[in-house]
Amino acid sequence: MRFQHVGIERFGPLESFDSGDQPLPRIVVVWGPNEAGKSSLFSFLTSMLYGFHPATRDTNPYTPWSGGDIEGRVVIQTDTGEVWQIHRRLLSAGWGRLSRNSVEEDIRNQPLELARHVPRRLYSQIYALTLSELAGLETTSWQTIQDRLIGGMGSTDLHPARQVAATLLDEAQRLWRRDNRGRPRARVLTEQLVEASRRKRQAEETDQRLREAAEHLEVIREHLRRARGARAGSRALAERLRVLVPVRRQLLRLEEMTRIAGAQEDLEGLPVDPEARQLELARQRAVLEEGLSRLEEDERDPRDRLGRFNDSDSRILEARESIESWIARARASAQTSPRMSRLEQELRDLSRRCEVLGQQLFITPWESVDLHRLESVLAGDRLKSGLRTYVAARDTRIARQQAVSWLEEASGNRTSPIWFLGGGIALLILGVAAILSGVLAGIPALWLGGTLSVFAGGLLLAYGGGALRAGRVRDSRTSSVMASLDAGRAEEEQARSEVLNTLEGLGLHPHFLESLDPALPGDLERFRAMLHDRSDRLCTHGDLAEERAQVEADLHEWVERLGLRLPPEALAGAY
């Protein structure tokens, strides 16, 4: 096995390295100063053979400082001459692809088949000898070599001494170890003894605490018996006090009230509940005072208004009925404002729709469309019937034209009957000659062939005659269909002229006049309906605006007549 090509995208200090298009020679010398990346190059080659170790991006020592992923490719030629292409990348886990014999395999982070018989550590120590490693192999590598040497002796009942010693050592260390590592049987038993001693001490301490607690419990029980006796006496005394103390309090209260009341004759004439009567009188006084304040306030406003009464107020009072009539009209006019706004919005919508449909139908602006001419065109059923006649004539002309095309195609594909007639006559002559020659010469085959030739000639003459008669019939039918096609074209042109005469003067787009779509009357009807709706709304809006202007004029007249001085904003918002 040897490396033919090495390509490193990112690996430790190595980045964007490529060995070139030519295969590497059998001996390659890598030269460079310290920290140039020589050891990194060999670690890269080892990773290409055995996979990345450690196999995570965060723990691998060759993760680039630039933040990218470890990635590289190599081309290997095996001892059998096969060429293997290996591509590996280290993401959160190892990823690898192997291409050989035009087949691609997913190898993840596994070693290659050609390198699995040699452990990774042994490969590193044999193929990457440094000055420190020249002194000897590592213990594990030397043990691997010993195992292989003993295994190659062919004895199945022998084991390497190292393996036997290691087995005995493991068994001894499971029972006892000199150091303080692992959990041998001796250490486990010692820990169990320590734990049993600790639990024994805890049990003795617990027994001592229980004995002390039992003695203390007896003392507490004696105190409890004494307290219960004292509590019974206290409860009897408390019950006596609960009954007698309220009685004494009431007696003392009665004596106090009798002293305060004085002589009994002084209390005659008082209500049963003087305090409630006092509160009722206070509430009545508050109500009367509030009513008095309200009456004084109501009296103050009329007096002030009477003092401000002047000649202008007299004129307003005289014109009271007219002013009230104007106010009613103004309120009715104010209610028309939302309606006028709604009409203005509808007029804008109708104008926009008329503009869109007018641009589709007419070449002139939609405002300049002659409504009277449009009414005359749509009057009755003349336009629709003319379009129906035109469409029927056009469909008839198309059907006849297709029939003519079919007949012409059939006439062009048929074979000329002259060839069949000529071939039949020739076969008849040839057959008669063969029959005569066969009879005269006494050759049965000759006159039999002549008979077949005469029969074939007769068939060709019959087919040629039928084809000639069918061609004449087809030609006469073609002439008849051509005549009807000309008549259909004339009818179509006449119907088209009548429709165009009906639409003349409307200013329609040329493509409508060219196609004469049957949907055209419907579009014209929609346009006319929108124009009528717009005209009606314009009239309604004008009437409302006129009524509003009249109310405003009457307001200015009343202001001048009564001599009032109102600001302009008050006149503008009066209604």
Side-chain angles (χ1 to χ4, degrees):
M1 176 194 74
R2 69 186 185 93
F3 291 92
Q4 287 188 340
H5 177 266
V6 177
I8 304 175
E9 277 76 8
R10 287 169 300 276
F11 190 87
L14 303 176
E15 186 174 354
S16 302
F17 172 79
D18 195 295
S19 62
D21 297 334
Q22 298 296 326
L24 294 174
R26 292 187 175 275
I27 298 177
V28 178
V29 177
V30 180
W31 178 85
N34 293 334
E35 302 301 328
K38 302 185 293 297
S39 300
S40 298
L41 176 60
F42 181 77
S43 297
F44 170 78
L45 298 177
T46 305
S47 298
M48 289 296 105
L49 294 176
Y50 291 93
F52 297 105
H53 181 76
T56 57
R57 185 181 182 278
D58 297 334
T59 58
N60 195 291
Y62 292 99
T63 300
W65 288 2
S66 61
D69 299 326
I70 298 177
E71 185 177 1
R73 295 176 173 83
V74 295
V75 179
I76 298 175
Q77 184 179 8
T78 64
D79 296 339
T80 59
E82 289 184 344
V83 176
W84 291 11
Q85 298 179 0
I86 300 96
H87 179 198
R88 291 186 185 269
R89 184 187 303 149
L90 182 60
L91 305 173
S92 59
W95 175 90
R97 295 286 184 183
L98 170 62
S99 297
R100 57 177 178 176
N101 298 328
S102 301
V103 177
E104 189 171 294
E105 303 176 13
D106 183 8
I107 59 175
R108 295 190 296 275
N109 199 43
Q110 301 298 324
L112 299 180
E113 293 181 5
L114 54 78
R116 287 180 179 174
H117 62 286
V118 178
R120 182 189 188 112
R121 184 179 297 276
L122 183 61
Y123 173 83
S124 301
Q125 288 195 340
I126 292 179
Y127 293 96
L129 290 177
T130 60
L131 293 176
S132 60
E133 292 169 340
L134 287 175
L137 299 176
E138 290 185 0
T139 304
T140 56
S141 301
W142 178 245
Q143 291 174 355
T144 303
I145 295 175
Q146 281 184 335
D147 292 344
R148 295 199 174 193
L149 291 176
I150 294 176
M153 295 175 61
S155 298
T156 58
D157 56 344
L158 295 180
H159 297 283
R162 179 192 58 79
Q163 181 177 355
V164 175
T167 302
L168 294 176
L169 181 62
D170 291 340
E171 181 65 24
Q173 288 182 348
R174 276 197 296 270
L175 298 176
W176 178 81
R177 291 179 65 97
R178 184 185 300 275
D179 53 11
N180 195 23
R181 298 173 60 184
R183 292 187 60 82
R185 180 64 176 169
R187 182 177 179 181
V188 171
L189 294 176
T190 302
E191 292 177 353
Q192 291 178 356
L193 288 174
V194 171
E195 178 65 19
S197 300
R198 183 184 65 79
R199 292 174 63 184
K200 178 183 177 182
R201 287 194 300 274
Q202 289 181 352
E204 291 175 349
E205 294 174 357
T206 303
D207 180 69
Q208 182 64 27
R209 287 196 302 268
L210 289 175
R211 293 177 182 275
E212 294 175 355
E215 296 176 356
H216 184 64
L217 180 61
E218 286 298 327
V219 175
I220 291 176
R221 284 176 178 174
E222 181 63 26
H223 290 171
L224 181 60
R225 283 192 295 270
R226 295 175 184 176
R228 284 176 178 175
R231 185 181 65 176
S234 299
R235 283 182 177 179
L237 180 60
E239 181 64 22
R240 185 177 180 185
L241 292 175
R242 185 184 65 79
V243 175
L244 297 177
V245 167
V247 175
R248 177 171 177 75
R249 287 177 180 174
Q250 290 180 3
L251 290 173
L252 294 176
R253 175 67 175 167
L254 182 60
E255 292 176 358
E256 180 69 17
M257 295 300 294
T258 303
R259 186 183 61 77
I260 294 174
Q264 186 175 359
E265 56 272 10
D266 296 338
L267 301 178
E268 294 180 358
L270 291 177
V272 179
D273 192 356
E275 187 176 1
R277 180 59 178 167
Q278 184 181 5
L279 293 175
E280 179 65 24
L281 292 176
R283 284 195 295 269
Q284 292 180 4
R285 180 181 178 181
V287 171
L288 292 175
E289 289 178 352
E290 183 181 357
L292 179 61
S293 299
R294 223 173 16 249
L295 290 175
E296 291 177 353
E297 184 67 25
D298 294 342
E299 182 185 7
R300 187 182 300 110
D301 185 52
R303 289 181 182 276
D304 293 342
R305 292 174 62 186
L306 183 61
R308 293 194 302 269
F309 192 82
N310 53 21
D311 296 339
S312 177
D313 296 331
S314 299
R315 289 193 296 271
I316 294 174
L317 189 60
E318 292 174 358
R320 177 179 177 179
E321 295 181 357
S322 301
I323 292 175
E324 290 177 350
S325 175
W326 178 88
I327 290 174
R329 292 171 53 204
R331 288 176 179 174
S333 177
Q335 294 176 357
T336 61
S337 297
R339 186 179 176 188
M340 291 180 65
S341 300
R342 189 165 55 254
L343 287 173
E344 291 173 358
Q345 181 61 37
E346 292 176 356
L347 285 171
R348 286 193 292 270
D349 295 340
L350 284 172
S351 299
R352 184 168 59 254
R353 291 166 57 192
C354 289
E355 182 180 1
V356 172
L357 187 57
Q359 290 178 355
Q360 296 176 0
L361 294 174
F362 306 103
I363 58 176
T364 58
W366 67 274
E367 297 91 344
S368 60
V369 175
D370 189 354
L371 184 58
H372 296 289
R373 175 59 182 159
L374 181 60
E375 293 282 356
S376 63
V377 169
L378 296 176
D381 199 25
R382 184 175 58 174
L383 179 59
K384 293 183 179 179
S385 61
L387 283 173
R388 285 196 295 269
T389 303
Y390 166 71
V391 171
R394 184 184 60 188
D395 294 342
T396 303
R397 188 263 302 167
I398 293 173
R400 292 174 180 176
Q401 190 171 356
Q402 290 177 352
V404 170
S405 300
W406 179 78
L407 290 172
E408 291 178 350
E409 183 179 358
S411 300
N413 294 334
R414 67 182 182 179
T415 306
S416 177
I418 302 299
W419 295 98
F420 293 101
L421 294 175
I425 294 173
L427 287 176
L428 285 175
I429 295 173
L430 181 61
V432 171
I435 291 172
L436 293 176
S437 300
V439 172
L440 294 177
I443 303 175
L446 191 59
W447 63 263
L448 181 59
T451 303
L452 294 175
S453 179
V454 170
F455 180 73
L459 291 176
L460 289 177
L461 287 175
Y463 181 77
L468 184 61
R469 287 191 299 273
R472 291 174 180 174
V473 173
R474 190 179 297 108
D475 292 340
S476 63
R477 187 179 300 171
T478 301
S479 300
S480 174
V481 174
M482 287 295 293
S484 63
L485 176 61
D486 294 336
R489 287 174 177 170
E491 292 176 0
E492 179 185 3
E493 188 61 31
Q494 182 179 359
R496 179 181 178 84
S497 299
E498 292 177 358
V499 174
L500 292 178
N501 291 333
T502 303
L503 297 174
E504 186 177 1
L506 280 182
L508 292 172
H509 274 293
H511 67 86
F512 284 107
L513 301 177
E514 184 68 25
S515 62
L516 294 182
D517 190 356
L520 179 61
D523 294 338
L524 294 176
E525 282 287 352
R526 286 196 298 114
F527 184 73
R528 182 183 65 173
M530 286 191 291
L531 287 180
H532 280 298
D533 290 344
R534 184 174 180 275
S535 177
D536 294 341
R537 284 168 173 75
L538 281 174
C539 293
T540 304
H541 187 273
D543 295 340
L544 294 176
E546 183 178 356
E547 181 181 354
R548 183 171 180 176
Q550 184 62 40
V551 172
E552 184 177 357
D554 293 344
L555 173 62
H556 286 284
E557 181 181 354
W558 280 110
V559 170
E560 293 177 0
R561 182 185 299 178
L562 298 176
L564 300 176
R565 295 181 179 179
L566 298 177
E569 58 272 13
L571 293 176
Y575 57 92

